[in-house]
Amino acid sequence: DEENTYFINGIMEEVLLNLQAIKELRVPGRTSVEQYRNTVKSIPEIARELGVSYIVEGSCEKYGNTFRLRVQLLAGAKDRHLWGESYEEVIDSPDDIFRIQNRIAESIAAELKAIITPEEKQLIEKVPTTSLTAYDFFQKGRDEHTKYWIDNKNIEALRNAEFFYHESLKYDSNFAHAYTGLAWVYWDKHSWEDILSEDFMDS
């Protein structure tokens, strides 16, 4: 369902960010991996092109307030299955989503024998908002923002991102992720034209 794409992309983004928080792992960003979404290339080819040893592969479906997520960890060079798990969760609060994302990152780190420091664990397990609506709008904003980063001629996506971040803050005025998203929007909108102006940083 295309309407749920932003939600699924949001889960992928959070798993990436959680893994990136673990210093013993080097994890490429979403823009680098996005090109492989519908690829016919093999796992060894992708691993070689990205310069990585392992690939995390997954799929997600959302039906109303329930999401089903399947994730597996593969050895890149040999396309060998190392770990896999299926999750099904009813979404009553953001905690239900964050809990699964945290477990995925911690399970992958354990499989790779990567040490998670107490500070990293705290960062991974931190719940950024208790408002499901705020988080939903934030995910929509971030998905639109990513569309702009992939194609910076897509100004409509940038406007959509700004709108959704503002909507998110209506439901949680302390949601730092949404403020960060807005900061990036203002930078993307004005940096090249206004970077030397006195009021560049006002927004």
Side-chain angles (χ1 to χ4, degrees):
D1 184 351
E2 286 294 324
E3 290 184 8
N4 291 324
T5 301
Y6 77 91
F7 174 84
I8 294 163
N9 288 342
I11 295 233
M12 177 181 71
E13 183 94 15
E14 290 296 335
V15 170
L16 277 171
L17 290 171
N18 284 346
L19 290 170
Q20 286 170 340
I22 303 168
K23 290 181 182 176
E24 287 203 358
L25 304 177
R26 184 187 71 80
V27 183
R30 180 176 166 188
T31 307
S32 297
V33 302
E34 188 70 31
Q35 60 184 308
Y36 300 105
R37 181 183 291 265
N38 298 309
T39 187
V40 294
K41 291 181 179 180
S42 67
I43 293 295
E45 282 181 284
I46 296 170
R48 188 166 58 250
E49 289 177 11
L50 286 173
V52 297
S53 301
Y54 305 94
I55 298 283
V56 178
E57 188 176 72
S59 64
C60 184
E61 298 166 296
K62 183 172 180 283
Y63 306 97
N65 267 16
T66 301
F67 74 94
R68 185 179 298 122
L69 180 64
R70 301 173 195 84
V71 187
Q72 60 178 337
L73 175 69
L74 305 162
K78 297 182 179 178
D79 193 5
R80 183 167 57 88
H81 182 270
L82 299 174
W83 168 86
E85 194 68 64
S86 293
Y87 307 89
E88 185 163 337
E89 190 78 31
V90 176
I91 309 165
D92 291 320
S93 75
D95 284 350
D96 300 321
I97 304 170
F98 298 137
R99 185 173 60 254
I100 299 296
Q101 292 167 170
N102 299 345
R103 279 171 56 192
I104 291 169
E106 290 173 2
S107 296
I108 290 170
E111 187 64 39
L112 298 177
K113 296 180 172 54
I115 296 171
I116 303 178
T117 66
E119 293 80 9
E120 290 166 354
K121 187 175 176 64
Q122 186 178 23
L123 189 63
I124 289 170
E125 294 181 351
K126 184 176 181 181
V127 176
T129 181
T130 57
S131 169
L132 192 56
T133 306
Y135 186 65
D136 195 62
F137 276 122
F138 168 72
Q139 283 186 311
K140 289 178 179 177
R142 183 166 58 183
D143 199 53
E144 290 294 318
H145 212 160
T146 302
K147 290 176 187 175
Y148 171 78
W149 285 335
I150 291 169
D151 175 13
N152 59 20
K153 293 179 182 176
N154 191 349
I155 302 301
E156 184 180 357
L158 190 61
R159 291 195 196 101
N160 290 340
E162 182 176 11
F163 171 79
F164 286 130
Y165 291 143
H166 276 298
E167 288 300 298
S168 175
L169 289 169
K170 288 180 182 177
Y171 293 90
D172 182 355
S173 61
N174 295 312
F175 189 9
H177 287 35
Y179 284 111
T180 304
L182 275 176
W184 275 113
V185 165
Y186 294 141
W187 175 267
D188 289 333
K189 282 173 67 175
H190 303 298
S191 59
W192 298 114
E193 60 192 57
D194 296 333
I195 197 162
L196 298 178
S197 69
E198 292 182 5
D199 59 353
F200 169 62
M201 296 299 289
D202 285 359
S203 293

